[in-house]
Amino acid sequence: MPPILCTHRPAGNRRPRTWRLAVATPLLGLALAACDSEPGGVVESWDESADRPWVGPNLWANRLQDWQVRDGRLEARVALPMRTVHLLTARVAPAPGTLRVEVRLGRLNGPNPDAPPAEGRAGFLIGAGGGLDYRSAALIHHSWGQGGGLFAGVDGSGRLFVRDFETESDWLARGSAETGVVDPSGEVTLSVVAVPADEPDLVNVSLTASDRSGGSAEVRVAGVRADRLTGNLALVSDVDERSAAGFWFDDFAASGERLERHPDRALGPIVGIQHTLSRGTLKLTAQLVPLGSADAREATLEVWAGDTWRQAATAPIVDPGHTASFRVEGWDDSVDTRVRVRVELPGTTAYEGLVPRDPTDEREIVVAAFTGNHNVAKPVPGRWSGVDGGWFPWNWGVWFPHSDIVGNAAGQDPDFLFFSGDQVYEGASPTAPDHQHPYLDYLYRWYLWHWAFGDLTRRLPSVSIPDDHDVYHGNVWGAGGIATPPGLSGAAAQDAGGYKMPAEFVRMVERTQTSHLPDPFDPTPVAQGIGVYYTDILYGGVSFAVLEDRKFKSAPGPLLPGAEVVNGWAQDPEFDARRESDAPGAVLLGERQLAFLDDWAADWSDGTWMKVVLSHTLFANLATLPSSETSDANVPTLRIVEPGEYPPDDRV
């Protein structure tokens, strides 16, 4: 059978992408079709894509800042271990039949002359995540033992390999001079075919490669358990940051009876929406992916008018943060209204949602309240690996996408959602903070929040207020928006008061999470030009006051120098909080918010029958600790006492 040729139309002056797939081996008796003409087949090509960090609606990149589309192909822009791009809209199913996966790839900037020849690997992760939700499986990258599957590809010396992703040392097949060598510094066509073996529940796997100079290679693995292939498909660039460049990819194709299509799982260019409806005014913010300079810079809000979509408003896409915020006065709040947000990008769809009517006639308003959104569970003991600039467990658990929480909350039929902070954790959720690319690093985590809670926020009004971890703090005393003193970091910077991150970063975080709230009571910015969002919302006759108790709050360190404060906790054993912590000049809410509360508390107009304050933290808290402890660091490890029992050595 002759090779199958697929030619893709070039974008602008880009070169045509014509490529040849490896011919089937006698063992497999199949040809690898690159086009999606076969039923169920998919092809991802970037020839028509603008240059941008976002890799496309059918894919999820780990991490957002580690990949980009440039010059009509996908590039791993960093040299780090196990960078992955997962296919969202198709998955390997536990079904009989064949599976075919192929891609073109090569080393960026050619081989590193200072690197050993075998440094770096690229290829496929097949069967990632197994029975996990496809969204949690899509996070798999950066270390072994993360949910099974096979890693099949080519290394920097041009030899093929198939590895068990459960165990780093388990090589199922390794190429040699006898099995052939290709040149990864140029262009390699890499193909995997899996077909049923003679025994039930087993498959035979063949990995083939060819390069433009005529080199070819092949390795085979017989008798692989078929369930090892069930799960996500992903592209992998796996290199040592000290020695090698990353890889580029194009024309990623998959087909076969085992491939299960899920076009509804596409994500982007709009990741999620949030809205509030108060006193007949709709505020709605759409969160977008990072678009390129050649992409559309405006979003459109449309409403369903019974038989057609009608434009309600337009809004610019604001960077950094990639948000579009709409404000529509005179909204008909007596009926449920279907809405959608649209951005003019080829090959993408609008994001639909619902603005429910204002339930002013309801006798009960149900508020679902959430706090914290950690995506990685408590580490499982095992080997540890230094990745992404931090240390992570070899074996770990994933809470994301929080299906139990979302499902249980939806089961209460809430009218209103409140997220009180830490929608994002900067550490190990799922990766360590990347201070070289903080804006994309934040969005990578913020998108996970939308991905998890989007089915709720797209159809219910919501409030999300950023807390300490959202702005990459372990704790934060905003002290009126000032910057932390120069030269300090970590707890020392936090305890001195202010924000560690640049003001632009703080503004971005607040814009992504709060720009859908009603207009602030007093919009005057605080120090560094950081905005404010404290306001009130009237919905269903309930008047909600949204406060910013972190932004104005004084730091304890400067006001209590004798307490030797570290991360908010007094380390001096002689310090008595009951008698010494009432420091003159200490601020909690600030005069501006107190004036707002005076006004809000007295206003019972427009059918208000209940008032609720929404804040990050408690205003008063009786904390007890064992007498040997000087902070709450060990609280999670303390013994849970029996009912009626009181710890004998606890102190206030």
Side-chain angles (χ1 to χ4, degrees):
M1 182 175 180
I4 298 171
L5 296 177
C6 292
T7 303
H8 297 268
R9 184 188 306 274
N13 60 359
R14 291 174 181 153
R15 59 188 182 278
R17 303 283 185 173
T18 303
W19 54 290
R20 182 176 65 83
L21 294 180
V23 180
T25 67
L27 170 68
L28 300 173
L30 293 168
L32 303 182
C35 305
D36 60 351
S37 57
E38 180 175 349
V42 296
V43 174
E44 285 297 313
S45 177
W46 294 268
D47 296 337
E48 304 293 337
S49 175
D51 293 351
R52 59 168 81 102
W54 179 50
V55 299
N58 301 322
L59 304 161
W60 176 262
N62 294 297
R63 301 163 299 174
L64 180 64
Q65 62 267 37
D66 296 342
W67 295 86
Q68 65 182 359
V69 178
R70 188 173 67 171
D71 294 335
R73 64 189 188 185
L74 175 68
E75 295 183 350
R77 59 187 295 186
V78 297
L80 286 170
M82 292 304 296
R83 304 297 95 179
T84 61
V85 170
H86 284 253
L87 182 62
L88 299 178
T89 51
R91 208 166 192 240
V92 183
T98 61
L99 175 69
R100 292 176 287 280
V101 189
E102 50 262 1
V103 75
R104 290 189 308 111
L105 61 84
R107 172 64 59 76
L108 285 169
N109 303 320
N112 185 336
D114 299 323
E119 281 295 340
R121 290 149 295 277
F124 310 107
L125 192 56
I126 303 175
L132 293 176
D133 183 290
Y134 78 98
R135 292 168 293 180
S136 54
L139 300 188
I140 290 175
H141 76 292
H142 78 47
S143 65
W144 301 87
Q146 288 189 339
L150 304 181
F151 179 19
V154 59
D155 66 21
S157 65
R159 290 173 169 80
L160 302 186
F161 65 88
V162 180
R163 302 179 73 171
D164 186 337
F165 199 58
E166 284 284 355
T167 308
E168 183 180 16
S169 60
D170 193 355
W171 295 78
L172 303 182
R174 301 181 73 172
S176 64
E178 290 72 23
T179 59
V181 177
V182 292
D183 182 9
S185 66
E187 179 179 304
V188 172
T189 298
L190 191 67
S191 309
V192 171
V193 172
V195 298
D198 293 336
E199 298 183 34
D201 302 323
L202 297 180
V203 295
N204 295 327
V205 177
S206 175
L207 173 65
T208 60
S210 61
D211 60 30
R212 288 202 166 194
S213 63
S216 63
E218 179 181 23
V219 295
R220 306 176 185 177
V221 183
V224 177
R225 284 192 358 242
D227 62 356
R228 297 304 309 279
L229 305 183
T230 299
N232 282 12
L233 291 171
L235 297 173
V236 179
S237 173
D238 179 34
V239 296
D240 188 327
E241 61 183 310
R242 296 165 297 183
S243 58
F247 289 83
W248 63 263
F249 302 83
D250 201 3
D251 299 315
F252 176 28
S255 60
E257 293 88 352
R258 289 177 62 89
L259 193 70
E260 186 176 78
R261 298 293 299 274
H262 297 279
D264 58 312
R265 293 177 177 176
L267 185 70
I270 297 157
V271 179
I273 59 176
Q274 286 185 275
H275 84 271
T276 56
L277 180 59
S278 180
R279 298 180 177 88
T281 296
L282 173 72
K283 294 283 292 292
L284 185 147
T285 293
Q287 178 62 62
L288 286 85
V289 296
L291 299 176
S293 58
D295 288 323
R297 306 308 302 170
E298 184 178 74
T300 301
L301 174 66
E302 298 176 332
V303 299
W304 182 248
D307 57 354
T308 188
W309 289 101
R310 177 177 57 82
Q311 179 174 307
T314 61
I317 298 170
V318 179
D319 296 335
H322 310 283
T323 55
S325 297
F326 304 92
R327 187 180 192 277
V328 183
E329 297 181 355
W331 186 268
D332 184 357
D333 59 11
S334 65
V335 296
D336 296 343
T337 304
R338 288 174 58 193
V339 298
R340 74 178 187 183
V341 180
R342 182 171 49 81
V343 177
E344 294 296 342
L345 285 179
T348 63
T349 58
Y351 189 97
E352 291 196 30
L354 178 73
V355 176
R357 69 183 183 90
D358 190 344
T360 54
D361 57 343
E362 296 291 334
R363 296 176 57 87
E364 179 181 77
I365 300 297
V366 178
V367 178
F370 308 79
T371 188
N373 177 44
H374 229 318
N375 291 312
V376 179
K378 185 177 180 180
V380 179
R383 290 183 63 183
W384 288 69
S385 175
V387 293
D388 292 341
W391 291 93
F392 291 87
W394 195 265
N395 299 306
W396 51 276
V398 178
W399 283 327
F400 176 82
H402 311 285
S403 299
D404 53 345
I405 297 173
V406 173
N408 291 339
Q412 302 300 315
D413 193 21
D415 300 289
F416 192 91
L417 309 173
F418 173 48
F419 298 87
S420 69
D422 294 345
Q423 283 71 251
V424 161
Y425 276 86
E426 80 283 12
S429 187
T431 54
D434 182 355
H435 291 288
Q436 290 185 322
H437 308 93
Y439 297 90
L440 292 178
D441 190 59
Y442 166 80
L443 289 174
Y444 175 66
R445 303 163 198 275
W446 177 235
Y447 293 162
L448 295 181
W449 182 88
H450 272 290
W451 215 4
F453 296 99
D455 285 343
L456 295 175
T457 61
R458 73 192 305 161
R459 60 182 178 84
L460 293 169
S462 61
V463 170
S464 57
I465 52 178
D467 201 6
D468 47 5
H469 291 285
D470 297 286
V471 293
Y472 284 35
H473 277 239
N475 274 306
V476 61
W477 293 271
I482 66 172
T484 56
L488 297 180
S489 61
Q494 293 172 174
D495 288 328
Y499 291 93
K500 295 189 296 182
M501 299 296 287
E504 184 182 50
F505 179 87
V506 178
R507 287 193 293 267
M508 176 197 70
V509 170
E510 294 189 349
R511 186 163 54 248
T512 60
Q513 297 198 26
T514 69
S515 56
H516 67 288
L517 297 179
D519 299 345
F521 179 78
D522 173 4
T524 305
V526 294
Q528 300 191 86
I530 295 173
V532 296
Y533 55 82
Y534 64 91
T535 187
D536 73 295
I537 303 166
L538 181 60
Y539 189 73
V542 178
S543 178
F544 298 92
V546 181
L547 298 182
E548 303 184 65
D549 45 301
R550 293 286 205 174
K551 182 174 289 179
F552 295 87
K553 193 174 185 179
S554 299
L559 295 173
L560 303 171
E564 301 175 8
V565 171
V566 174
N567 201 28
W569 293 89
Q571 302 301 298
D572 181 2
E574 302 301 321
F575 177 76
D576 188 340
R578 290 171 293 186
R579 292 191 293 268
E580 301 177 64
S581 61
D582 189 8
V587 172
L588 179 60
L589 296 177
E591 293 300 322
R592 292 172 57 182
Q593 289 196 102
L594 292 177
F596 159 64
L597 285 173
D598 283 342
D599 182 86
W600 170 79
D603 182 5
W604 290 82
S605 63
D606 300 322
T608 301
W609 59 271
M610 173 67 74
K611 287 188 176 286
V612 177
V613 170
L614 305 178
S615 68
H616 301 114
T617 55
L618 301 172
F619 294 161
N621 176 35
L622 175 61
T624 63
L625 289 174
S627 57
S628 60
E629 300 290 337
T630 57
S631 78
D632 63 347
N634 290 329
V635 166
T637 68
L638 298 178
R639 180 178 64 88
I640 299 175
V641 300
E642 297 296 328
E645 180 186 4
Y646 190 83
D649 60 341
D650 267 22
R651 61 180 175 82
V652 174

